[in-house]
């Protein structure tokens, strides 16, 4: 690998990532908690934070939900080194408006901002607001036109465009290019349209947590495709449970699985609002009995002793993963444990 290992965290945008009935984990999505969490992650040596975007809590709309882009702007002003990655669903923002927001946060962060394009899975988020929620492949067609415009606008180009979804005439945004050509573009999704869009538009492709062999196959498939922005880089979502021994880690995994069983009603409600064509949910449904965490969670296999987890990270890196976007529970305590015990072993 020519790119160094990097480690990021998922912001606690809707509280717990694994189980909502854990007495050791506050179901807290407040700005105060997220500010403290990200500042501590930066101090501990983490390289990035991913701020997922949901307008309402996707599991229970009676619970709090952090707003991704306003929070990312604030984090840009408070931090000094960590990369801030804000997720974006194209159907919620016009590309001109979103590109301007991205450039402003990039300027505040002095070149540390990135956006993560996700084409949405939660039908209710759109339909309850009276917004269109097209079929899966149609959302990717919309997203391809959308990100093509955002890319050009973030580069400071003067843009005129007439397409099936957008008409833009003689539009230019400033300031642009103050620190680099444009903010980094990440893309999530594993369907065929997502893979094609990653190769044609993204800098980094995010893969959901899953076994090494599956990740290697996904990378091999996308790496064969012509990449418009130079060689594509790869990130992996994973939930980490690291302990002194493999047995102790498996015991903790079993504890979280038992707690997660109490969330069955929340998960059923979420599935009822989910696009059935979503590859992420098809995979996680199949693995639900053996993993915790979102976006694949412990299916990536980062459960074990400190040495075991470090060894598996090295194996994923050898397969092409550059950035590990990590989840923990209880988040703050386990993030510190990872920084103290695993980071020295992999670095």
């Amino acid at each position: 690998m020519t790119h160094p290992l990097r480690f990021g965290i998922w912001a606690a945008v809707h509280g717990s990532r694994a189980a909502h009935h854990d007495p050791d984990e506050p179901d807290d999505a407040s700005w105060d908690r997220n500010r403290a969490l990200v500042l501590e992650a930066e101090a501990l040596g983490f390289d990035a934070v991913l701020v997922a975007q949901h307008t309402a809590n996707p599991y229970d709309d009676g619970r709090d939900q952090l707003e991704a882009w306003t929070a990312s702007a604030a984090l840009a002003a408070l931090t000094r080194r960590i990369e801030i990655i804000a997720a974006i669903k194209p159907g919620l923002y016009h590309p001109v408006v979103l590109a301007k927001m991205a450039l402003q946060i990039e300027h505040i962060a002095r070149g540390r901002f990135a956006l993560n394009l996700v084409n949405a899975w939660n039908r209710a988020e759109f339909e309850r607001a009276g917004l269109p929620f097209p079929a899966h492949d149609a959302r990717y067609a919309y997203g391809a036109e959308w990100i093509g415009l955002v890319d050009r606008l973030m580069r400071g180009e003067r843009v005129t465009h007439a397409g099936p979804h957008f008409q833009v005439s003689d539009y230019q945004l400033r300031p642009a290019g103050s620190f680099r050509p444009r903010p980094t573009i990440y893309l999530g999704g594993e369907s065929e349209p997502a893979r094609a869009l990653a190769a044609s538009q993204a800098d980094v492709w995010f893969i959901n947590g899953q076994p090494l062999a599956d990740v290697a196959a996904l990378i091999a498939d996308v790496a064969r495709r012509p990449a418009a922005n130079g060689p594509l880089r790869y990130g992996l979502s994973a939930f980490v449970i690291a302990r002194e021994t493999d047995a102790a880690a498996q015991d903790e995994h079993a504890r979280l699985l038992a707690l997660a069983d109490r969330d069955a009603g929340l998960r059923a409600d979420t599935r009822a609002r989910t696009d059935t064509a979503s590859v992420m949910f098809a995979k996680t449904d199949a693995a639900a009995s053996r993993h915790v965490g979102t976006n694949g969670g412990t299916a990536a296999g980062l459960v074990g002793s400190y040495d075991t987890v470090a060894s598996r990270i090295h194996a994923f890196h050898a397969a092409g993963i550059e950035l590990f976007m990590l989840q923990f529970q209880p988040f703050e305590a386990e993030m510190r444990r990872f920084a103290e015990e695993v980071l020295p072993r992999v670095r």
Side-chain angles (χ1 to χ4, degrees):
M1 285 294 297
T2 57
H3 293 282
L5 272 170
R6 297 197 299 140
F7 296 93
I9 63 162
W10 287 72
V13 298
H14 45 59
S16 166
R17 284 281 168 186
H20 292 281
H21 295 86
D22 188 347
D24 297 327
E25 173 76 319
D27 209 1
D28 181 359
S30 67
W31 160 246
D32 286 343
R33 182 194 184 188
N34 277 280
R35 176 186 58 197
L37 179 65
V38 174
L39 288 172
E40 182 174 12
E42 183 175 59
L44 288 171
F46 287 88
D47 304 292
V49 56
L50 174 58
V51 188
Q53 185 197 36
H54 303 283
T55 49
N57 189 301
Y59 304 105
D60 177 359
D61 62 10
R63 299 169 186 254
D64 289 350
Q65 174 67 45
L66 190 76
E67 200 289 306
W69 281 69
T70 50
S72 293
L75 290 171
L78 291 170
T79 55
R80 294 293 176 266
R81 182 189 58 79
I82 200 166
E83 181 185 27
I84 299 160
I85 309 168
I88 183 64
K89 298 166 186 171
L92 296 178
Y93 290 92
H94 191 281
V96 169
V97 175
L98 193 284
K100 180 59 179 175
M101 291 168 62
L103 284 175
Q104 187 64 67
I105 302 177
E106 169 83 346
H107 203 73
I108 295 168
R110 302 185 66 82
R112 293 180 290 117
F113 183 65
L115 59 88
N116 178 36
L117 180 69
V118 291
N119 276 287
W121 51 264
N122 185 0
R123 292 195 316 272
E125 182 176 22
F126 288 76
E127 292 175 352
R128 290 178 183 176
L131 296 170
F133 189 74
H136 180 275
D137 289 5
R139 292 200 305 278
Y140 273 95
Y142 180 97
E145 184 179 351
W146 186 95
I147 193 62
L149 278 169
V150 169
D151 186 324
R152 294 175 63 196
L153 289 161
M154 290 194 304
R155 293 180 187 274
E157 294 182 18
R158 187 173 296 280
V159 174
T160 295
H161 171 87
H165 304 102
F166 302 106
Q167 291 75 47
V168 176
S169 178
D170 196 31
Y171 228 108
Q172 186 177 45
L173 300 178
R174 287 291 187 271
S178 301
F179 305 97
R180 52 184 174 166
R182 61 151 169 73
T184 303
I185 296 174
Y186 289 75
L187 187 134
E190 295 170 22
S191 65
E192 175 53 35
R195 299 182 200 193
L197 187 55
S200 66
Q201 297 283 1
D203 303 302
V204 186
W205 184 37
F206 266 138
I207 300 170
N208 288 311
Q210 53 201 285
L212 175 61
D214 295 344
V215 170
L218 287 169
I219 291 174
D221 175 76
V222 173
R224 285 193 292 266
R225 306 172 188 229
N229 296 314
L232 196 63
R233 308 197 309 273
Y234 304 94
L236 181 73
S237 177
F239 191 104
V240 177
I241 303 175
R243 292 292 186 274
E244 289 282 352
T245 66
D246 289 336
Q250 293 298 336
D251 287 346
E252 175 61 10
H253 193 198
R255 183 187 80 88
L256 289 174
L257 283 167
L259 286 169
D261 286 343
R262 298 173 62 184
D263 298 330
L266 286 177
R267 289 199 301 272
D269 289 344
T270 302
R271 292 299 186 271
R273 299 188 299 271
T274 297
D275 178 12
T276 56
S278 168
V279 172
M280 175 180 74
F281 280 96
K283 286 186 175 182
T284 54
D285 279 343
S289 63
R290 58 183 176 85
H291 90 277
V292 294
T294 66
N295 297 81
T298 53
L302 299 190
V303 177
S305 71
Y306 305 135
D307 288 335
T308 295
V309 171
S311 175
R312 290 174 181 168
I313 286 170
H314 281 304
F316 277 116
H317 187 229
I321 296 299
E322 169 198 345
L323 174 62
F324 292 81
M325 194 57 65
L326 303 178
Q327 303 171 13
F328 307 95
Q329 187 161 323
F331 207 112
E332 288 83 348
E334 293 302 314
M335 176 178 72
R336 293 173 199 132
R337 184 196 298 270
F338 184 88
E340 292 167 4
E341 299 290 351
V342 180
L343 280 183
R345 286 168 162 84
V346 296
R347 286 179 168 165

